[in-house]
Amino acid sequence: MKTAIAYYRVSTQRQGRSGLGLEAQRAAVARFAEAEGITVGGEFTEVETGKGTDALDRRPRLAAALATARQQKCPVLMAKLDRLSRDVAFIAGLMAQRVPFIVAELGADADPFMLHLYAALAEKERRQISERTRAALAARKQRGTKLGNPRNASKAAATGREAQVMAADLFARAVLPIITSLQQAGVTSYRGIAAALNGRSVRTARGGSWQVSNVRNLLARTKVAGL
């Protein structure tokens, strides 16, 4: 049976004391490990923010998990990629240490390339949320002075739509290799692909379960975008 080192993280002391977040992560890792025939050879829990270029220096439990995984020659397993980080450069630096990562949410087939794409998507989403918030506040301020500036509001809306399209394309590009491998294995129907993705604990872009419509829309998007 394969072995992995589990890593869990919450951002606040309150979450750490209450167990909120940690219990869900442990449950997700346990379900994934059982489904994939993986034995959890150790667990490391961190209460620390994932932000900042010095994140690894402030996360000794992650460093310990990496060291243990390297010693046992096995991967580090986590429930979601954002428990590691939403920063692409940080994740790229960790991957350079030659310790493989398995993200239960993304499935066992998510290779380093896909993890980079998902990290880029998460980082871009965080930046877009911040930009949309600033744009919305600016538009409200304008409306409070001279009935607003429609061009600013329209520009903000257009920017938001463009960002959503780019994020959706990134997600489709990340999931497409998994679907392609399923099709090559003989799983060709939308319903079969959806069931296989759910069975591998791969989530949709919104974090939900796959339905026929999700698979159909994603494949249609890849054709339109030329992915």
Short mmCIF file of all heavy atoms in Angstrom, two decimals, residues 128 131-139 149-163:
data_model
loop_
_atom_site.label_atom_id
_atom_site.label_comp_id
_atom_site.label_asym_id
_atom_site.label_seq_id
_atom_site.Cartn_x
_atom_site.Cartn_y
_atom_site.Cartn_z
N GLN A 128 -8.42 39.21 -8.76
CA GLN A 128 -9.62 39.74 -9.40
C GLN A 128 -10.66 40.19 -8.38
O GLN A 128 -11.32 41.21 -8.57
CB GLN A 128 -10.23 38.68 -10.32
CG GLN A 128 -9.39 38.41 -11.56
CD GLN A 128 -9.81 37.15 -12.26
OE1 GLN A 128 -10.68 36.42 -11.78
NE2 GLN A 128 -9.19 36.86 -13.39
N GLU A 131 -9.58 43.51 -7.20
CA GLU A 131 -9.77 44.54 -8.22
C GLU A 131 -11.25 44.88 -8.38
O GLU A 131 -11.60 46.06 -8.52
CB GLU A 131 -9.19 44.05 -9.55
CG GLU A 131 -7.67 43.96 -9.56
CD GLU A 131 -7.15 43.31 -10.82
OE1 GLU A 131 -7.98 42.79 -11.61
OE2 GLU A 131 -5.92 43.30 -11.01
N ARG A 132 -12.10 43.87 -8.36
CA ARG A 132 -13.54 44.13 -8.50
C ARG A 132 -14.08 44.91 -7.31
O ARG A 132 -14.94 45.78 -7.46
CB ARG A 132 -14.30 42.82 -8.67
CG ARG A 132 -14.13 42.16 -10.02
CD ARG A 132 -15.20 41.11 -10.27
NE ARG A 132 -15.10 40.00 -9.34
CZ ARG A 132 -14.42 38.89 -9.58
NH1 ARG A 132 -13.75 38.75 -10.71
NH2 ARG A 132 -14.40 37.91 -8.69
N THR A 133 -13.55 44.61 -6.13
CA THR A 133 -13.99 45.33 -4.93
C THR A 133 -13.61 46.79 -5.03
O THR A 133 -14.42 47.69 -4.74
CB THR A 133 -13.35 44.71 -3.67
OG1 THR A 133 -13.76 43.34 -3.56
CG2 THR A 133 -13.79 45.46 -2.42
N ARG A 134 -12.37 47.08 -5.45
CA ARG A 134 -11.93 48.47 -5.60
C ARG A 134 -12.75 49.20 -6.66
O ARG A 134 -13.12 50.36 -6.49
CB ARG A 134 -10.44 48.52 -5.94
CG ARG A 134 -9.52 48.16 -4.78
CD ARG A 134 -8.10 48.62 -5.07
NE ARG A 134 -7.55 47.97 -6.25
CZ ARG A 134 -6.85 46.84 -6.21
NH1 ARG A 134 -6.65 46.23 -5.06
NH2 ARG A 134 -6.38 46.32 -7.32
N ALA A 135 -13.03 48.49 -7.77
CA ALA A 135 -13.80 49.11 -8.85
C ALA A 135 -15.22 49.42 -8.38
O ALA A 135 -15.77 50.49 -8.70
CB ALA A 135 -13.83 48.19 -10.07
N ALA A 136 -15.81 48.50 -7.64
CA ALA A 136 -17.17 48.72 -7.14
C ALA A 136 -17.21 49.89 -6.16
O ALA A 136 -18.14 50.72 -6.20
CB ALA A 136 -17.69 47.45 -6.46
N LEU A 137 -16.23 49.98 -5.28
CA LEU A 137 -16.18 51.10 -4.33
C LEU A 137 -15.99 52.43 -5.05
O LEU A 137 -16.60 53.43 -4.69
CB LEU A 137 -15.04 50.87 -3.33
CG LEU A 137 -15.24 49.73 -2.32
CD1 LEU A 137 -13.98 49.53 -1.49
CD2 LEU A 137 -16.44 50.01 -1.42
N ALA A 138 -15.14 52.41 -6.09
CA ALA A 138 -14.93 53.64 -6.86
C ALA A 138 -16.21 54.07 -7.56
O ALA A 138 -16.55 55.26 -7.61
CB ALA A 138 -13.80 53.42 -7.87
N ALA A 139 -16.94 53.08 -8.12
CA ALA A 139 -18.19 53.41 -8.81
C ALA A 139 -19.22 53.97 -7.83
O ALA A 139 -19.94 54.93 -8.14
CB ALA A 139 -18.73 52.15 -9.50
N ASN A 149 -20.40 57.71 -12.69
CA ASN A 149 -19.81 57.75 -14.02
C ASN A 149 -20.09 56.40 -14.69
O ASN A 149 -19.45 55.41 -14.38
CB ASN A 149 -18.30 57.98 -13.93
CG ASN A 149 -17.68 58.20 -15.30
OD1 ASN A 149 -18.21 57.76 -16.31
ND2 ASN A 149 -16.54 58.88 -15.31
N PRO A 150 -21.06 56.32 -15.59
CA PRO A 150 -21.43 55.04 -16.20
C PRO A 150 -20.26 54.34 -16.87
O PRO A 150 -20.20 53.14 -16.92
CB PRO A 150 -22.50 55.43 -17.22
CG PRO A 150 -23.02 56.76 -16.76
CD PRO A 150 -21.86 57.45 -16.11
N ARG A 151 -19.32 55.15 -17.41
CA ARG A 151 -18.21 54.53 -18.10
C ARG A 151 -17.34 53.73 -17.13
O ARG A 151 -16.85 52.66 -17.45
CB ARG A 151 -17.37 55.60 -18.81
CG ARG A 151 -18.07 56.21 -20.01
CD ARG A 151 -17.17 57.19 -20.71
NE ARG A 151 -16.77 58.25 -19.81
CZ ARG A 151 -15.89 59.20 -20.12
NH1 ARG A 151 -15.31 59.18 -21.30
NH2 ARG A 151 -15.59 60.15 -19.25
N ASN A 152 -17.13 54.27 -15.90
CA ASN A 152 -16.34 53.54 -14.91
C ASN A 152 -17.03 52.24 -14.53
O ASN A 152 -16.39 51.19 -14.40
CB ASN A 152 -16.14 54.41 -13.66
CG ASN A 152 -15.10 55.50 -13.89
OD1 ASN A 152 -14.41 55.48 -14.90
ND2 ASN A 152 -15.03 56.44 -12.97
N ALA A 153 -18.35 52.32 -14.30
CA ALA A 153 -19.09 51.11 -13.93
C ALA A 153 -19.06 50.09 -15.06
O ALA A 153 -18.89 48.89 -14.83
CB ALA A 153 -20.52 51.48 -13.57
N SER A 154 -19.21 50.58 -16.29
CA SER A 154 -19.19 49.67 -17.44
C SER A 154 -17.82 49.03 -17.61
O SER A 154 -17.70 47.84 -17.90
CB SER A 154 -19.57 50.42 -18.72
OG SER A 154 -20.87 50.95 -18.61
N LYS A 155 -16.79 49.83 -17.40
CA LYS A 155 -15.43 49.31 -17.52
C LYS A 155 -15.16 48.26 -16.46
O LYS A 155 -14.56 47.22 -16.73
CB LYS A 155 -14.42 50.45 -17.39
CG LYS A 155 -12.98 50.00 -17.56
CD LYS A 155 -12.03 51.18 -17.48
CE LYS A 155 -10.58 50.71 -17.64
NZ LYS A 155 -9.63 51.86 -17.54
N ALA A 156 -15.64 48.52 -15.25
CA ALA A 156 -15.44 47.54 -14.17
C ALA A 156 -16.17 46.24 -14.48
O ALA A 156 -15.64 45.15 -14.26
CB ALA A 156 -15.94 48.12 -12.84
N ALA A 157 -17.40 46.37 -15.01
CA ALA A 157 -18.17 45.17 -15.35
C ALA A 157 -17.49 44.39 -16.47
O ALA A 157 -17.41 43.16 -16.43
CB ALA A 157 -19.58 45.56 -15.75
N ALA A 158 -16.98 45.12 -17.48
CA ALA A 158 -16.30 44.45 -18.59
C ALA A 158 -15.04 43.76 -18.12
O ALA A 158 -14.72 42.64 -18.55
CB ALA A 158 -15.97 45.47 -19.69
N THR A 159 -14.30 44.42 -17.23
CA THR A 159 -13.08 43.81 -16.68
C THR A 159 -13.41 42.55 -15.90
O THR A 159 -12.71 41.54 -16.00
CB THR A 159 -12.36 44.81 -15.77
OG1 THR A 159 -12.02 45.98 -16.52
CG2 THR A 159 -11.08 44.20 -15.19
N GLY A 160 -14.49 42.61 -15.15
CA GLY A 160 -14.90 41.44 -14.39
C GLY A 160 -15.28 40.27 -15.28
O GLY A 160 -14.90 39.13 -15.02
N ARG A 161 -16.01 40.57 -16.36
CA ARG A 161 -16.41 39.51 -17.30
C ARG A 161 -15.18 38.91 -17.98
O ARG A 161 -15.09 37.69 -18.16
CB ARG A 161 -17.38 40.06 -18.34
CG ARG A 161 -18.79 40.33 -17.80
CD ARG A 161 -19.76 40.58 -18.93
NE ARG A 161 -19.43 41.79 -19.67
CZ ARG A 161 -19.88 43.00 -19.37
NH1 ARG A 161 -20.67 43.17 -18.33
NH2 ARG A 161 -19.54 44.04 -20.09
N GLU A 162 -14.25 39.77 -18.39
CA GLU A 162 -13.04 39.28 -19.04
C GLU A 162 -12.23 38.39 -18.09
O GLU A 162 -11.71 37.35 -18.49
CB GLU A 162 -12.18 40.47 -19.48
CG GLU A 162 -10.90 40.05 -20.20
CD GLU A 162 -10.06 41.25 -20.60
OE1 GLU A 162 -10.53 42.39 -20.42
OE2 GLU A 162 -8.93 41.04 -21.10
N ALA A 163 -12.16 38.80 -16.84
CA ALA A 163 -11.42 38.00 -15.85
C ALA A 163 -12.09 36.65 -15.63
O ALA A 163 -11.41 35.62 -15.50
CB ALA A 163 -11.34 38.76 -14.53
#
